[in-house]
Amino acid sequence: MNRRIELAPDEARIPRKQGWTEGRRCDTEPHMRFFNVHAQGLLARLIGRTQTMTGEIQAARPEATPDPGENTSPTPRANQDEILKDFALERYKYILQQIHASNENVYKFLAIYQAMASTLATAGIALFIGYKGWGITPVVTRAGLLGLLSLITVIGVFTMLLVFVGVLTWLDYRNEECELTDEVVHPGFRKKPRVRNLFRWYETYIIAFIATSIAFMWWFATTFILPFVK
């Protein structure tokens, strides 16, 4: 007896080949998703590793690779040169300070001489004018005037000696400055002082002024003051 198998309406519309293909595609979808996720993770790790290596190469590129056989530490000769340069600089500063101090000391010595000479000369004139009113004898007055003149002379000579020593000190430091600059900078950088320029130095005229003032006071006292003390 032949029976006729009836298919469901939905099943009757779907061909067998198309149903087999869709079923096959449904079976492979989980595998494809797993492969895609695994491939993306592997690609991400590969890109990250490549970027890390690129950054390391760029960071190491500016640094020069030292030669194992090359000594990168400073040589003793270089250290010695640096020490000598620093020493020369400090010595040059000290020399300039001493030259400046020598120039200022001359004015200080001159001011001391002017103050003391003026005070003693004023005292001598006052003694000459008022010795009779004060009841001082002519012998004592004459001795007092000579003593004041002698004291002014001693102060003047001592001041001239200090100024002269200051000039010698200035010459020594100037010569040392020239020798130092010839060695460190170049020869002839600073010219040495010449004694023939003596008339250009103000110390010369200060010494001449002190000597002239002392001579003038002695001449004036012996000519116009001491003869009238009677």
Side-chain angles (χ1 to χ4, degrees), residues 92-109:
Y92 187 70
K93 292 180 180 179
Y94 175 77
I95 292 172
L96 295 181
Q97 290 177 357
Q98 294 301 315
I99 292 174
H100 181 69
S102 299
N103 294 331
E104 288 188 344
N105 288 336
V106 175
Y107 295 105
K108 294 179 181 179
F109 299 151

Side-chain angles (χ1 to χ4, degrees), residues 24-40:
R24 187 67 176 177
R25 180 174 56 82
C26 295
D27 293 338
T28 58
E29 282 181 358
H31 299 283
M32 293 298 295
R33 286 197 299 269
F34 174 78
F35 176 76
N36 291 333
V37 171
H38 184 70
Q40 291 177 358

Side-chain angles (χ1 to χ4, degrees), residues 33-147:
R33 286 197 299 269
F34 174 78
F35 176 76
N36 291 333
V37 171
H38 184 70
Q40 291 177 358
L42 181 62
L43 182 62
R45 289 196 299 270
L46 182 61
I47 293 174
R49 181 59 179 170
T50 303
Q51 292 177 351
T52 303
M53 293 177 65
T54 304
E56 292 177 355
I57 293 173
Q58 292 179 354
R61 182 176 299 172
E63 299 179 359
T65 304
D67 189 1
E70 182 181 0
N71 186 10
T72 58
S73 60
T75 61
R77 179 63 180 176
N79 293 332
Q80 186 177 2
D81 292 340
E82 292 296 330
I83 294 174
L84 291 177
K85 289 180 180 179
D86 295 337
F87 177 78
L89 179 60
E90 294 299 327
R91 184 60 183 175
Y92 187 70
K93 292 180 180 179
Y94 175 77
I95 292 172
L96 295 181
Q97 290 177 357
Q98 294 301 315
I99 292 174
H100 181 69
S102 299
N103 294 331
E104 288 188 344
N105 288 336
V106 175
Y107 295 105
K108 294 179 181 179
F109 299 151
L110 179 60
I112 292 173
Y113 168 75
Q114 287 176 342
M116 298 188 69
S118 300
T119 303
L120 295 175
T122 303
I125 294 173
L127 179 61
F128 172 71
I129 295 173
Y131 77 96
K132 292 181 180 180
W134 297 336
I136 302 174
T137 61
V139 177
V140 176
T141 302
R142 190 183 296 271
L145 291 174
L146 291 175

